[in-house]
Amino acid sequence: QYSPLTLKVLAGISAVDHHVMPFDAEHALIGPDLGFKGMIEAWLDMNERNWASLNLSWSSARDSYASRLRYGLTVWPETSFGLEAAATGDAGYGGGRGGAFVRHTWGNGEIAASGGPSVDSTMTLGAYGTFNVLTRF
């Protein structure tokens, strides 16, 4: 913790099981993989109502990566709304997305939902949605 900046470094094991439907025999990333995963999380409280976060991760399983940048505005003491941008990929795929989110926290956790447009490495446009529940123990 450095005043308004919080930094976390995490490490662990990543387990991935990837299946392509319909089956694609040419796809190099079918089946399970196990590897190391590392992550850096940064959180900056700019003032009482504005915050930003950055998450970066990499895994040796599938040589995969993920990054997400968020800017949030706290509208109630435990509820924030904001914008996000992300890039994810692995040895055979890459993509990006950008959208909006809502996040609500309480003493031991948080619930968040986000969504918006996405694009993959073939420039195919789509949409994404996420719903996360996190608890601390």
Side-chain angles (χ1 to χ4, degrees), residues 19-128:
H19 298 279
V20 177
M21 299 305 277
F23 180 74
D24 180 1
E26 299 296 319
H27 198 278
L29 300 176
I30 303 269
D33 198 1
L34 188 67
F36 167 81
K37 183 170 186 174
M39 179 183 283
I40 297 172
E41 292 184 2
W43 186 281
L44 178 63
D45 289 319
M46 293 179 268
N47 58 41
E48 290 181 14
R49 295 181 49 104
N50 296 278
W51 56 268
S53 67
L54 175 66
N55 297 344
L56 303 170
S57 67
W58 175 82
S59 173
S60 62
R62 306 275 197 261
D63 194 22
S64 61
Y65 63 91
S67 61
R68 182 181 68 195
L69 177 64
R70 280 184 165 176
Y71 166 75
L73 175 64
T74 303
V75 292
W76 293 289
E78 294 87 16
T79 304
S80 300
F81 294 92
L83 300 173
E84 69 177 8
T88 60
D90 59 30
Y93 170 84
R97 63 189 191 195
F101 70 90
V102 59
R103 176 178 174 265
H104 180 77
T105 63
W106 64 88
N108 285 336
E110 72 178 56
I111 188 169
S114 63
S118 66
V119 63
D120 68 13
S121 55
T122 65
M123 299 309 291
T124 301
L125 296 176
Y128 78 96

